[in-house]
Amino acid sequence: MSFLNLNLTYQNIHFRHPSSSSSTPIPLPPLPPGISRSFIPTPQGDLEILHTSFPLRSSFPSQQPALFLIHGGMGSASVWLEYLSFFSEQNKIPCYAISMRGHGGSWYPSYLRMVYGTTKGDLTGDVVSGIRWAAGRERERQGRGVIKGQQGQQGKEGGKDVDVDHVEGKEGKEDEVEMVLIGHSSGGGLAQYILSAGLLDGLLVVKVKVKVKGLVLMGAVPGFGSIPIYVNWFHLDPLFALRLLLHLGHPNSPLSHPSLVRRIFFSDHLPDSYLSRFMSFMSRYESLLWPLGMGWSFADPEKVLLRISGWGETRTPETRQGQEERVLVIAGERDQIMTQPIMQQLADWYRAAYERLVVEEKKIDGVVVRGENQTVDEVEVEGSGGPKDTAGTGVRYALVPGAGHHCQNDVGWEVGARKVLAFYRQLL
């Protein structure tokens, strides 16, 4: 029911575990062609991961980097279904999308454990487990090893779990697997935190080292802190606190009604049918310590950039006089929480760090044009429409016309996907 524009409903407020007899289970969405679902065993429970079907077709270039996609709060791997189909099926790029604990088909902590006992670090560990699993699979795809028990199996759906601890290598030397991290919202915050903290530095799948080739931040929580985002949220929803009180402090309260989900996550043009389907896949409850752990600065932009590999490898006369971008910041044109000014500030934050690393510290082999000739070039992606993007000083900034916060799901999502594809191609 709704009254006083409070948009009050208890239909989407759950205090019980989804497997409880008194709770509605979370449905797992059907997968598009070429995408499979597997489960990664961890000491706490299994993690859902959606990925390009195995065995991969011969049409996939063996050495190109895979995309690893990280969802945000209340999401799961299923928020990437459109991107998985676009990149994997249409463009032959291997893809992986993880569901962290308490999301999608992954194991579910109890309400109290998830809401008050699950930290940013816990969820980061789930993402790193997913990256580790994907790296082992990529090693096999590239013909450099075989994961025992994985061939012809798709986790639980194939009748057998997969353990990437057991990999048969073909050579004695250490190999490298390259990936591009794509993080949305709080998942983009985790991607920055993982790189800043060096959590992939010592990550080895037997003799495979993971190298991050590029970083895509889609409506991401900025590494300098999320306080301005929640100020925007409170302005959008003045009755936030009253509704939260009536919902007994449940973390889903701000997104408990279709009108609230549309207002915060999407544009007005998203069909109601898609919104209803999206809400059916949302988490039953969410960690409060995750966003609290990102309220203030939690990442060092210089450390993030230094842990992205390949600076200087792709410079050609066509890449704007030696400049290249290995960070892409994407904003939805109608995103009302991660607004354009905040996302532009995030891009500028990384550009300033890049300039320091190139000019002052000389830790990156890059090019920075200073003084009166300093420019950030405009970049136009074919078929994207809308305003031009900007590129230069190590960072590309892109806008998805007409889209809200969930720009990978909202109207115009394919425009954003083409911009990610253009960024990906210039990494090669």
Side-chain angles (χ1 to χ4, degrees), residues 311-346:
W311 293 104
E313 289 181 358
T314 58
R315 290 207 303 270
T316 68
E318 288 76 29
T319 56
R320 291 172 307 285
Q321 298 180 344
Q323 296 188 39
E324 59 181 340
E325 299 85 47
R326 294 197 173 267
V327 176
L328 170 62
V329 177
I330 296 186
E333 184 182 28
R334 299 188 180 183
D335 192 335
Q336 299 190 75
I337 52 173
M338 316 290 194
T339 57
Q340 291 182 50
I342 293 175
M343 292 297 98
Q344 182 65 66
Q345 184 182 357
L346 179 60

Side-chain angles (χ1 to χ4, degrees), residues 44-122:
Q44 294 81 22
D46 292 348
L47 299 175
E48 177 192 33
I49 188 165
L50 305 184
H51 55 87
T52 305
S53 295
F54 183 86
L56 297 174
R57 306 184 184 108
S58 59
S59 58
F60 283 70
S62 62
Q63 298 300 318
Q64 68 179 353
L67 301 180
F68 192 91
L69 304 109
I70 310 168
H71 67 80
M74 302 296 296
S76 67
S78 65
V79 303
W80 297 110
L81 288 178
E82 288 88 349
Y83 268 44
L84 290 171
S85 182
F86 176 87
F87 286 103
S88 183
E89 279 294 288
Q90 298 181 36
N91 291 284
K92 309 305 178 188
I93 299 172
C95 299
Y96 301 86
I98 188 74
S99 289
M100 291 172 263
R101 70 187 69 186
H103 301 83
S106 292
W107 74 277
Y108 248 81
S110 67
Y111 176 82
L112 291 177
R113 182 178 177 184
M114 184 68 188
V115 175
Y116 300 109
T118 298
T119 66
K120 175 184 64 182
D122 294 329

Side-chain angles (χ1 to χ4, degrees), residues 311-312 315 322 324 354 358 364-368:
W311 293 104
R315 290 207 303 270
E324 59 181 340
Y354 176 86
V358 171
I364 285 181
D365 179 18
V367 176
V368 174

Side-chain angles (χ1 to χ4, degrees), residues 15-30:
F15 290 92
R16 294 183 180 273
H17 194 284
S19 64
S20 168
S21 59
S22 60
S23 181
T24 304
I26 297 177
L28 295 181

Side-chain angles (χ1 to χ4, degrees), residues 375-421:
T375 60
V376 174
D377 300 328
E378 288 189 343
V379 177
E380 188 169 7
V381 177
E382 183 178 355
S384 65
K388 292 182 179 179
D389 304 333
T390 61
T393 322
V395 180
R396 183 173 295 199
Y397 175 77
L399 204 61
V400 182
H405 180 56
H406 266 264
C407 53
Q408 76 271 45
N409 306 111
D410 208 343
V411 293
W413 71 265
E414 196 166 359
V415 173
R418 285 196 293 270
K419 295 185 176 189
V420 174
L421 180 62

Side-chain angles (χ1 to χ4, degrees), residues 26-331:
I26 297 177
L28 295 181
L31 303 180
I35 303 300
S36 297
R37 177 181 288 113
S38 294
F39 292 85
I40 305 170
T42 72
Q44 294 81 22
D46 292 348
L47 299 175
E48 177 192 33
I49 188 165
L50 305 184
H51 55 87
T52 305
S53 295
F54 183 86
L56 297 174
R57 306 184 184 108
S58 59
S59 58
F60 283 70
S62 62
Q63 298 300 318
Q64 68 179 353
L67 301 180
F68 192 91
L69 304 109
I70 310 168
H71 67 80
M74 302 296 296
S76 67
S78 65
V79 303
W80 297 110
L81 288 178
E82 288 88 349
Y83 268 44
L84 290 171
S85 182
F86 176 87
F87 286 103
S88 183
E89 279 294 288
Q90 298 181 36
N91 291 284
K92 309 305 178 188
I93 299 172
C95 299
Y96 301 86
I98 188 74
S99 289
M100 291 172 263
R101 70 187 69 186
H103 301 83
S106 292
W107 74 277
Y108 248 81
S110 67
Y111 176 82
L112 291 177
R113 182 178 177 184
M114 184 68 188
V115 175
Y116 300 109
T118 298
T119 66
K120 175 184 64 182
D122 294 329
L123 298 171
T124 296
D126 292 344
V127 175
V128 172
S129 294
I131 293 173
R132 184 168 173 269
W133 188 92
R137 193 169 180 276
E138 281 299 288
R139 185 176 194 248
E140 180 179 358
R141 179 181 72 86
Q142 296 173 8
R144 292 180 282 171
V146 177
I147 302 177
K148 293 180 180 179
Q150 186 171 356
Q151 191 165 10
Q153 303 291 337
Q154 299 302 324
K156 288 184 176 177
E157 289 196 347
K160 188 173 183 179
D161 284 339
V162 176
D163 186 356
V164 297
D165 284 330
H166 298 91
V167 181
E168 295 178 344
K170 293 188 175 181
E171 300 178 3
K173 64 180 182 180
E174 181 181 298
D175 291 321
E176 293 179 346
V177 169
E178 294 182 330
M179 293 188 182
V180 176
L181 301 185
I182 303 180
H184 173 251
S185 195
S186 295
L190 288 185
Q192 296 169 82
Y193 176 70
I194 287 170
L195 291 177
S196 179
L199 300 182
L200 302 183
D201 288 357
L203 185 65
L204 291 175
V205 182
V206 184
K207 295 179 180 178
V208 179
K209 182 178 181 179
V210 178
K211 295 181 70 174
V212 175
K213 190 85 170 180
L215 175 64
V216 180
L217 302 173
M218 303 185 63
V221 173
F224 51 76
S226 61
I227 296 300
I229 294 159
Y230 289 99
V231 170
N232 290 338
W233 198 320
F234 294 145
H235 286 164
L236 283 171
D237 185 11
L239 298 176
F240 182 112
L242 175 59
R243 190 186 310 105
L244 185 66
L245 180 64
L246 294 173
H247 282 147
L248 304 179
H250 196 289
N252 287 27
S253 177
L255 295 168
S256 57
H257 191 279
S259 296
L260 298 173
V261 176
R262 180 182 294 279
R263 185 187 309 172
I264 301 301
F265 279 174
F266 295 105
S267 69
D268 293 336
H269 301 293
L270 186 80
D272 290 338
S273 58
Y274 188 100
L275 179 65
S276 177
R277 178 176 176 271
F278 179 91
M279 290 187 66
S280 71
F281 303 138
M282 287 170 55
S283 302
R284 293 297 183 257
Y285 36 78
E286 185 58 274
S287 165
L288 288 179
L289 299 182
W290 184 8
L292 288 176
M294 295 182 177
W296 288 266
S297 178
F298 59 89
D300 183 325
E302 294 188 11
K303 290 181 179 179
V304 171
L305 296 179
L306 287 172
R307 290 190 170 102
I308 298 174
S309 66
W311 293 104
E313 289 181 358
T314 58
R315 290 207 303 270
T316 68
E318 288 76 29
T319 56
R320 291 172 307 285
Q321 298 180 344
Q323 296 188 39
E324 59 181 340
E325 299 85 47
R326 294 197 173 267
V327 176
L328 170 62
V329 177
I330 296 186

